[in-house]
Amino acid sequence: MCGIAGLLTPGGADEGRLIGTVERMTAALAHRGPDASGVWTRAELGMALGQRRLAILDLSEAGAQPMHSACGRYSITFNGEIYNHLDIRAELEACGGAPNWRGHSDTETLLAAVRQWGVAPALQRLIGMFAFALWDGEARQLTLARDRFGEKPLFYGWSGGDLVFGSELKALAAHPDWAPSLDRAALTAFMRYSYVPAPATIWAGVRKLPAASVVSFAADAAPGAWPEPQPYWSLRDRVVAGQENRISSEQDAIRRLEQLLSVAVKRQCLSDVPLGAFLSGGVDSSTIVALMQAQASQPVRTFSIGFAEGGYNEAEDARRVAQHLGTDHTELYVDARTAMEVVPKLPRIYDEPFADSSQIPTHLVAQLARRHVTVALSGDAGDELFGGYNRHVWGGALQARLGRLPMPLRRAIGAALGAIAPEPAETILKALQPVLPARLKVRHAGDQVAKLGRIMAAEGFDGLYRTLCSIDQDPARTVIGGDERASWAGDEMRQLAGPLDPLDRITLADALSYLSDDILQKVDRAAMAVALETRVPFLDKDVVEFSTRVPAHMKVRDGRGKWLVRQVLYHHVPAEMIDRPKTGFSIPLDAWLRGPLKSWAADLLSPARLQRQGLFDPARVTRMFDEHLSHRQNHSYWLWNVLMAQAWHDEWARAG
């Protein structure tokens, strides 16, 4: 695990300039790789690769980067882990393609695989998370590549006459000719989703490499050239194929999922440094920890964060699971003040506007874990693959029922629900909780009433999904000069062709957008800010491809999601310890914006400041803030978007 950066100057460049520039770029990534640094250049071709290293596998100099193939043709700077690299080594040795191994790093394995089979065939064999830059000295070509799901980030663009790339935007900003302009269409998309969807970034002329893609640049590429990234794997294709190859036996499905997840966990426990896991006490993290502990010879290190606010505190649930499984558990209760100390760091951690407020507890639990381990496994992606969100559980049935109502009536009901202030709604639903079936009980019920009001007026299933995923339903009104493009790569429902089971349709869209551009980026930046490597067993290629064959009734059943994952977990943890309303890894943002964060927010949202910065309509922002402070509505997520953009602007606008 590390931070990578580099540049290509078509036509060649002075070696001192190349080294100095890349050293500045990698210095900006020191948090991702505190153990070592390295730079390699080919000045006559204008090529330079750099890396900051967090040593995980092969701690010796044999694992140092940039690294070169035994034949001398290829040079690479690599970020990530290839979990099946020992299997690939065995395959290389069996076919006579193995070099005289210098060490036991996965980077050396990758170089040998590329030498033996080429880039595309090598990528097909990889199971892991990665982003890398590979220089082919014979073809005089630079190739950038990213893992199947976008676990590891990779940004690229042109600065002056240089093609620059890196693990984070701050590396690109260290280039002396960095002078991008704000992309207001990207800012508009951010206001809708709370993240900037790939391949866009907040800066015009700078891109994210899409997941499961490669892009190549010739040494004599014309400055400003944008070759089209090429996919080497497609989750869409797997989901479509899975419609015709469904698993029929429930018992076979349970057995197979446990087997595949166990193999994935075993692969991802490969490490030469201390390793542990995040544990929230929910289905996904508990499943991963249970399978880790089942294979371990000593107690697994587990970590959780707790809050004093009961509706947001999962620490007690995590503690019970940890005690049952016998892990070596560490928990930390944090108050509002501790959590808010993270807020000023967020613009530097994320580099572009990012407003998933669980970024705060995610950073805190990563910080806690890093005191004891260097690698932590997480339960992320279980929801997207196996149907864990409320929209997965209720989306299809809700749309079918709403479709029977005339649209004018739906709009009227939606307006009435939207007019209910959150506190009365919360009070009413709390009073009903004792008489409701367990599967109908929800936490943060007031927010759910508001959400129901919004979706009443949604047209069609795709409209319903878009509404559920949108923080700002009309962001072009919020952003000054806002432009909401007809289709974003992140707006996945528009790109799905052909009939799909409704649950497959919505989980696929989530996996291709929300998972890749929000969840995985949140965890990567929050953890790598403290030099902690995170791993996601649910995103093992074999587990993912298996999930595409699981029918809807094995994912969602009886008003509850992740039925199949639960059956695996029940082999290790009693059902009563797990079956409770989904909380999510969140903070009491609505209350904090009215209390301890109020003065900070008021300063960022002052009309004069909004007018001066020129990002958002001051009148609209002021009205929303006033409604929130007066308890008339809960606009906390919308306001958090604006606040994160304003804070980002203060930190980074001078860089653009």
Side-chain angles (χ1 to χ4, degrees):
M1 184 66 70
C2 61
I4 65 172
L7 62 85
L8 172 64
T9 307
D14 175 75
E15 184 174 25
R17 174 184 171 274
L18 289 175
I19 293 173
T21 301
V22 173
E23 283 182 342
R24 286 194 296 273
M25 295 173 72
T26 56
L29 302 174
H31 55 284
R32 297 185 72 95
D35 295 335
S37 64
V39 175
W40 170 84
T41 66
R42 284 286 303 276
E44 71 278 12
L45 298 174
M47 185 69 244
L49 302 176
Q51 195 213 41
R52 291 290 312 204
R53 186 185 184 195
L54 176 64
I56 302 294
L57 290 177
D58 195 345
L59 310 185
S60 72
E61 280 300 309
Q65 294 189 43
M67 188 180 290
H68 313 285
S69 63
C71 63
R73 174 176 176 177
Y74 299 102
S75 300
I76 194 170
T77 182
F78 175 87
N79 171 28
E81 303 290 346
I82 301 171
Y83 304 124
N84 66 330
H85 89 95
L86 295 179
D87 296 333
I88 295 172
R89 283 199 174 201
E91 185 179 358
L92 285 164
E93 289 163 359
C95 71
N100 292 321
W101 301 110
R102 299 187 298 270
H104 62 273
S105 75
D106 51 354
T107 308
E108 187 181 5
T109 305
L110 173 58
L111 282 169
V114 169
R115 175 195 177 193
Q116 179 68 19
W117 299 304
V119 174
L123 285 168
Q124 294 297 331
R125 288 170 164 84
L126 303 186
I127 295 176
M129 56 175 184
F130 53 82
F132 64 78
L134 178 79
W135 173 252
D136 183 339
E138 183 176 305
R140 297 191 173 190
Q141 178 175 272
L142 172 69
T143 295
L144 307 178
R146 197 170 176 209
D147 65 70
R148 288 177 176 84
F149 308 102
E151 290 185 66
K152 293 293 103 185
L154 189 55
F155 299 86
Y156 65 108
W158 290 90
S159 285
D162 292 345
L163 173 73
V164 292
F165 56 87
S167 297
E168 297 180 14
L169 284 169
K170 57 175 63 71
L172 278 63
H175 188 280
D177 295 331
W178 171 261
S181 59
L182 178 72
D183 186 337
R184 289 190 177 264
L187 182 62
T188 308
F190 161 76
M191 280 304 299
R192 179 175 289 281
Y193 298 115
S194 299
Y195 57 84
V196 178
T201 71
I202 195 62
W203 299 115
V206 182
R207 298 181 183 178
K208 302 179 181 89
L209 182 64
S213 296
V214 298
V215 65
S216 297
F217 294 85
D220 58 355
W226 290 101
E228 191 68 23
Q230 298 300 311
Y232 62 85
W233 184 85
S234 170
L235 181 58
R236 281 192 190 86
D237 291 349
R238 299 308 190 279
V239 170
V240 170
Q243 304 280 303
E244 305 300 324
N245 189 26
R246 292 297 201 192
I247 298 169
S248 57
S249 166
E250 292 181 354
Q251 290 306 311
D252 286 349
I254 296 168
R255 176 189 55 78
R256 184 61 175 156
L257 178 58
E258 181 155 10
Q259 179 186 58
L260 289 172
L261 272 177
S262 296
V263 170
V265 166
K266 183 176 181 179
R267 283 171 175 159
Q268 297 195 20
C269 285
L270 182 64
S271 173
D272 292 334
V273 294
L275 177 144
F278 299 146
L279 179 61
S280 70
V283 172
D284 301 327
S285 66
S286 297
T287 300
I288 297 305
V289 170
L291 296 177
M292 288 178 71
Q293 192 59 69
Q295 302 178 47
S297 58
Q298 57 189 14
V300 171
R301 294 300 306 261
T302 54
F303 306 93
S304 67
I305 290 288
F307 291 97
E309 292 84 354
Y312 297 85
N313 182 36
E314 291 187 307
E316 294 178 0
D317 300 326
R319 188 187 315 126
R320 284 191 288 269
V321 172
Q323 289 172 346
H324 179 81
L325 293 174
T327 71
D328 181 359
H329 189 60
T330 302
E331 65 181 24
L332 175 67
Y333 272 81
V334 296
D335 55 19
R337 179 178 178 181
T338 302
M340 288 183 296
E341 288 174 354
V342 177
V343 173
K345 304 175 185 177
L346 295 176
R348 291 295 302 181
I349 291 174
Y350 288 93
D351 291 354
E352 66 178 350
F354 184 82
D356 181 336
S357 62
S358 63
Q359 62 202 129
I360 294 175
T362 301
H363 181 68
L364 288 170
V365 75
Q367 198 171 53
L368 172 65
R370 188 61 177 92
R371 298 171 191 166
H372 307 275
V373 300
T374 311
V375 177
L377 275 61
S378 84
D380 291 315
D383 288 309
E384 290 80 7
L385 298 179
F386 293 97
Y389 296 131
N390 289 333
R391 57 179 174 263
H392 303 156
V393 176
W394 300 108
L398 184 60
Q399 178 57 33
R401 293 176 183 177
L402 291 178
R404 303 187 190 117
L405 300 177
M407 186 56 71
L409 177 59
R410 289 172 56 179
R411 292 195 183 103
I413 295 172
L417 291 172
I420 300 174
E423 280 77 6
E426 192 82 30
T427 300
I428 292 169
L429 287 170
K430 278 184 178 179
L432 293 174
Q433 293 292 295
V435 299
L436 290 175
R439 64 187 178 88
L440 295 180
K441 294 181 180 181
V442 295
R443 293 175 175 173
H444 319 309
D447 291 343
Q448 300 305 315
V449 170
K451 183 179 291 186
L452 179 59
R454 291 193 296 271
I455 67 178
M456 288 297 296
E459 296 188 20
F461 188 65
D462 289 3
L464 172 68
Y465 176 79
R466 185 176 175 84
T467 299
L468 288 170
C469 293
S470 298
I471 301 300
D472 190 333
Q473 301 295 328
D474 192 4
R477 287 180 56 204
T478 304
V479 177
I480 296 173
D483 171 23
E484 189 154 33
R485 296 172 184 167
S487 178
W488 283 86
D491 197 359
E492 294 297 338
M493 294 297 268
R494 295 172 182 256
Q495 299 186 35
L496 301 176
L500 281 180
D501 177 278
L503 182 61
D504 282 337
R505 189 172 176 82
I506 195 170
T507 54
L508 173 60
D510 277 340
L512 293 174
S513 55
Y514 179 62
L515 175 64
S516 179
D517 291 333
D518 184 310
I519 300 297
L520 297 178
Q521 302 319 300
K522 172 189 68 181
V523 175
D524 175 83
R525 303 308 190 283
M528 290 308 295
V530 294
L532 177 76
E533 174 176 305
T534 52
R535 300 178 177 179
V536 187
F538 275 108
L539 287 182
D540 181 278
K541 173 179 174 286
D542 295 339
V543 174
V544 172
E545 294 187 347
F546 167 82
S547 76
T548 66
R549 300 176 52 228
V550 175
H553 72 273
M554 292 189 201
K555 293 182 178 180
V556 173
R557 185 177 298 187
D558 298 328
R560 180 175 288 154
K562 293 182 290 198
W563 179 86
L564 187 60
V565 181
R566 290 174 187 273
Q567 308 316 302
V568 172
L569 180 55
Y570 294 160
H571 291 167
H572 305 271
V573 178
E576 59 270 17
M577 194 174 289
I578 295 297
D579 292 341
R580 58 183 179 277
K582 185 178 181 65
T583 300
F585 201 36
S586 57
I587 59 173
L589 185 60
D590 54 343
W592 287 3
L593 288 175
R594 297 185 184 108
L597 281 175
K598 180 180 176 180
S599 61
W600 167 79
D603 181 52
L604 281 174
L605 301 180
S606 70
R609 188 171 193 153
L610 290 163
Q611 192 74 41
R612 184 174 66 253
Q613 290 186 317
L615 301 182
F616 303 111
D617 176 7
R620 184 170 170 81
V621 174
T622 298
R623 177 177 62 81
M624 299 287 269
F625 193 36
D626 288 345
E627 287 182 356
H628 185 81
L629 293 179
S630 66
H631 294 260
R632 282 175 284 167
Q633 292 293 331
N634 178 6
H635 294 310
S636 57
Y637 296 119
W638 190 94
L639 290 168
W640 192 249
N641 279 11
V642 176
L643 289 163
M644 287 295 96
Q646 292 285 99
W648 167 83
H649 187 272
D650 280 353
E651 179 73 31
W652 287 104
R654 63 183 183 276

